[in-house]
Amino acid sequence: MDNTFTIVKSVQTGGGLPPADQHDFNTINGGAQALMTIFHPLQYDLSAYNISNGQGFIMEGAFQEVDTLTSKVLFEWRSLDFVDPSASYVLPNTTDVSGDGLTKNSAWDYFHINAVDKSIDGDYLVSSRHAEAIYKINSSDGSILWQLGGKHSDFSQNFNFSYQHAVRFVLENSTTTVISFFDNAYDGFNSSAYYSEGKVVAINNSTMNATLLQSFPNTYPMGPNDTSGGLLSASQGNVQLLPNGNAFLGWGSNAFISESTADGNPVLSAWFATTGALHYRAYKFNFTSAPTDQPALYSYAHNTSAPTVFYASWNGATEVASWTYYGGASATSLKKLGSATKNGFETASTQPGFQAFSLVEAVASNGTALRNSSVTNTFVPGTMLSIACDAMQCPMIGSFSSATGTQNTTANIPSSPSATSQAPPTSRRVLAVWAAVVMGVLVPCCPAF
């Protein structure tokens, strides 16, 4: 995608494998190639796992390196060629994402590939959540050069990890490989530590020792009432090493982000929800966007004698500093009412007088007008509904009314063919999180964890 959130190129998998799934889409070499993870269900003899009345189904983890211009497959790796199912810590029908192995749609996900990267020297790094292992893959023949963690680790190490995500090369030379990853330490059922954290690890390829260099837990409060000082994320998450040496982390199944200095001191801890939300990864970049859509506006008045409340937002826009409000008795007689500094994703502002029609203008920090919303007619609740409403809004409906009889609920406001009618604010108070992934078709075959 470009900075208008327009798709400029789609990349597909090849070789008869399923489309890329959502776990990783890692562009390399300036975007010339892309690494894509694939979940591939296959019939398999699972008699060793109490599935012996017929052939079972197993989920193979695979990845491809693809030319982004032509979608030509440059390299392909499949887990069953190199990692036996006995390496898995997650048996069939034991977790919410394990699969039971009985059907193609519920294939046993023994490997669960969730990250892939490529070094400057051309070899690959693969993360298996369910084997709790990180593999370095030979780019010539796909063989495993070494394994960190899991049941058959090649290294002595002074740290533990499990159910990890987002493994990445940091640097590599003839003797040492440095990698980073998010150590979940938990899958919702089993844990290897009290808290999740980002880790940076040095691997000595001569002595076969793996040493923890840095760890990045989240030690700030995780909400207005939290005193635990830590997060345990059952799924997802990532660590991004910044140019200034800091580490920026997304906490996956917990809707939090954090940033720490190189020595682990926290400089940022924030959340966009405390319940009911999650994110796969989070990144920090200098990004300026120019969405192609218009700003969104919902305007409300408790009655036709009340002031008008404007709710303005522009999903994905990074340059909005303030909002200018316009209103009037008709769509063609709008006048400037006032302005307000942008406050979060959605800015609420009360403007004087009842405005039957409204419009909002997004303004940059230098005073430049960026774009207008459409002209909308203000929502006014009818007589019955207004009893449940207040000066700012009407509540969301939770059940049918028990009232009998009929009553006029039509708002007494003018209509105009040039105005856009509004539905009740069913989407207000929702934080929109942009997650742009440019890939082929996403197939809902596998949990995004």
Side-chain angles (χ1 to χ4, degrees), residues 10 51 60 63 68 75 85 94 97 131-132 173-174 207 245 299 315 324 326 334-335 344 374 415 428 436:
S10 295
I51 300 174
E60 178 179 57
F63 77 84
T68 56
F75 184 83
T94 57
V97 297
E132 299 181 18
N173 57 37
S174 59
T207 64
S299 54
N315 201 5
T324 300
Y326 298 83
L334 302 180
K335 295 182 180 180
S374 299
S415 60
R428 292 198 290 107

Side-chain angles (χ1 to χ4, degrees), residues 147-169:
Q147 173 181 332
L148 176 66
K151 296 181 180 180
H152 308 290
S153 181
D154 293 315
F155 300 96
S156 298
Q157 57 193 71
N158 65 347
F159 61 94
N160 295 317
F161 68 92
S162 62
Y163 307 110
Q164 74 288 339
H165 284 75
V167 61
R168 291 292 187 258
F169 282 109

Side-chain angles (χ1 to χ4, degrees), residues 349-361:
S349 179
T350 301
Q351 297 298 318
F354 172 68
Q355 311 298 328
F357 293 86
S358 55
L359 177 144
V360 69
E361 180 182 66

Side-chain angles (χ1 to χ4, degrees), residues 32 82 101 122 164 194 214-215 218 246 256 271 276 279 291 324 354 362:
F82 302 98
Q164 74 288 339
Y194 290 112
Q214 296 170 293
S215 61
N218 194 339
N246 287 6
F256 294 79
W271 56 90
H279 61 299
T324 300
F354 172 68

Side-chain angles (χ1 to χ4, degrees), residues 26-35 65-66 68 116-119 124:
N26 185 7
T27 56
I28 57 176
N29 298 327
Q33 293 87 37
L35 302 172
E65 179 181 346
V66 177
T68 56
V116 58
D117 197 18
K118 190 175 185 179
S119 70
Y124 301 93

Side-chain angles (χ1 to χ4, degrees), residues 195 218-222 225-231:
Y195 302 120
N218 194 339
T219 56
Y220 271 16
M222 299 303 108
N225 301 312
D226 178 68
T227 58
S228 65
L231 276 176

